[in-house]
Amino acid sequence: MPKTIVVALGGNAILQPGQRGTAAEQYENIAVTARQIARMVADGHRVVVTHGNGPQVGNILIQQEEGSAAVPPMPLDVCGAMSQGFIGYYLQQCLGRELVTLGLDVPVATIVTQVVVDVGDAAFQNPTKPVGPFYSEERARELVAAKGWRMKEDAGRGWRRVVPSPDPRGIVEAPVIRSVVASGAVVIASGGGGVPVAVGEGGHLLGVEAVIDKDLAAERLACEVGADVLIILTDVEKAAVNYRQPGETWLGELTLEQARAYQAQGHFQAGSMGPKVEAALRFVEGGGELAVITSLSRAMAALAGETGTRIRGAAAAGAAGWEAPVGEQGYRAARGR
Ligand code: ADP
Ligand code: MG
């Protein structure tokens, strides 16, 4: 049965460890990623893609700093929007090409996405997320004075700006995303966790100097588009308990209660696996059918129930076997879905 699937792409879907981030490198990685996503579309699913942007927005911030003598630097929210456009454009090209190869006439569109945060969020009192270039102490002091930035010394490597990472509250463009998805297009949205905005006087939206976790934003997106499945694709096939420690155990099917218990025991690291598990839990607690955490290359197998860390919600109880047309066996080019 066709599903609406939100696919959250991790950093490795766009840039591999050790790469500098040339256009060619990123295009090639995204081409590989697009092949996996196209297979979901070919299986008849409605697909919404979201993605991280850490290295990309980092490079854009370096360009702002290095170019600041020649052209005015843009603020963080604008840099985030730039990264959404750039990555979305590459995904449109690569996914478009894959879909044509499969004989599918499915449009792909990127929507610059704003995500509402609450200015009262405790995260604003304690900025934790390092962004952008490393600075000398002198330059760091200048930036603190000129822009009011918060700067932290980073393990002897220099000074770095830190920004808050507030919880995402709502996806501003959700209604338009829903209608574009309903039209049959593949939508790319909420890249980099979305551009954080606060609701100001008279309901106007104002960009905020912060970074939203992309997995938590993916959950909001999945909820607001009414997705059946949230699949978080990263560089490990499953989440583990006792990760990289004696007794390491990779997790397959989990109940909500089991996952919450492991989370409470501190098995999932903050800033990496932690937000993925939290996003998965929020999704199924909010009525989602299935949340999956797996690696990019195992996406289809995980949807088919063959691997990945999978958490099912109550909605999935009566829907056993829906995986049948999906997965390695059921892979097909579904013309005129
Ligand atoms: P992404 O770019 O996909 O968000 P992250 O680096 O943020 O990637 O998160 C994936 C990483 O989480 C893995 O590479 C792994 O090192 C780390 N990790 C932390 N805790 C766990 C755990 N309990 N099980 C599996 N991986 C974990
Ligand atoms: Mg991450």
Side-chain angles (χ1 to χ4, degrees):
M1 196 174 130
K3 299 286 170 179
T4 300
I5 304 179
V6 167
V7 184
L9 301 173
N12 71 323
I14 309 170
L15 203 59
Q16 299 293 322
Q19 292 184 331
R20 288 181 60 237
T22 64
E25 283 167 348
Q26 301 193 70
Y27 189 90
E28 276 168 33
N29 293 324
I30 289 174
V32 172
T33 300
R35 209 157 299 150
Q36 295 294 330
I37 299 168
R39 297 175 69 180
M40 293 180 204
V41 180
D43 273 341
H45 301 302
R46 296 177 189 278
V47 177
V48 181
V49 181
T50 187
H51 58 82
N53 73 343
Q56 291 74 29
V57 82
N59 286 355
I60 293 170
L61 289 164
I62 292 170
Q63 289 164 350
Q64 306 310 303
E65 171 66 14
E66 294 294 320
S68 61
V71 290
M74 293 293 135
L76 182 58
D77 58 327
V78 178
C79 293
M82 288 185 201
S83 76
Q84 288 185 350
F86 146 47
I87 296 168
Y89 158 64
Y90 268 12
L91 276 165
Q92 284 173 209
Q93 285 207 341
C94 294
L95 204 43
R97 201 179 52 191
E98 285 300 323
L99 293 169
V100 167
T101 304
L102 293 172
L104 295 166
D105 182 15
V106 176
V108 185
T110 301
I111 295 175
V112 172
T113 311
Q114 305 172 90
V115 174
V116 174
V117 298
D118 177 358
V119 289
D121 194 304
F124 286 99
Q125 305 310 313
N126 179 32
T128 53
K129 182 90 186 147
V131 291
F134 290 93
Y135 298 98
S136 68
E137 188 170 350
E138 186 193 0
R139 180 71 180 137
R141 286 190 195 289
E142 274 172 32
L143 290 165
V144 169
K147 304 198 181 196
W149 287 1
R150 293 279 290 269
M151 308 287 285
K152 272 192 188 152
E153 212 277 327
D154 191 324
R157 292 189 294 176
W159 289 74
R160 223 164 163 212
R161 183 177 183 199
V162 286
V163 297
S165 188
D167 219 31
R169 293 298 162 99
I171 310 281
V172 176
E173 286 76 19
V176 74
I177 295 169
R178 277 196 293 272
S179 62
V180 181
V181 171
S183 80
V186 174
V187 176
I188 299 146
S190 193
V195 181
V197 295
V199 183
E201 293 271 317
H204 295 300
L205 299 175
L206 300 164
V208 170
E209 299 277 297
V211 170
I212 300 170
D213 181 86
K214 74 110 183 16
D215 296 312
L216 297 180
E219 185 279 327
R220 287 287 79 218
L221 178 67
C223 174
E224 293 197 29
V225 301
D228 307 296
V229 179
L230 170 62
I231 181 165
I232 300 177
L233 301 179
T234 182
D235 55 3
V236 286
E237 190 168 329
K238 295 175 179 178
V241 288
N242 301 313
Y243 179 64
R244 288 187 173 163
Q245 283 167 33
E248 179 181 80
T249 307
W250 299 97
L251 301 167
E253 298 271 347
L254 284 183
T255 64
L256 264 170
E257 295 71 28
Q258 284 169 329
R260 277 281 176 221
Y262 290 141
Q263 184 192 45
Q265 291 160 17
H267 286 288
F268 313 120
Q269 205 171 52
S272 58
M273 189 52 72
K276 296 182 202 309
V277 172
E278 177 62 21
L281 286 167
R282 287 183 188 180
F283 179 65
V284 291
E285 280 167 357
E289 199 172 297
L290 172 69
V292 183
I293 300 169
T294 194
S295 60
L296 182 61
S297 63
R298 302 295 283 151
M300 296 305 287
L303 283 175
E306 294 160 15
T307 188
T309 299
R310 296 161 47 96
I311 306 172
R312 279 168 175 278
W322 70 261
E323 302 94 339
V326 195
E328 304 295 339
Q329 297 304 317
Y331 174 55
R332 68 196 161 86
R335 235 183 213 289
R337 61 207 185 100

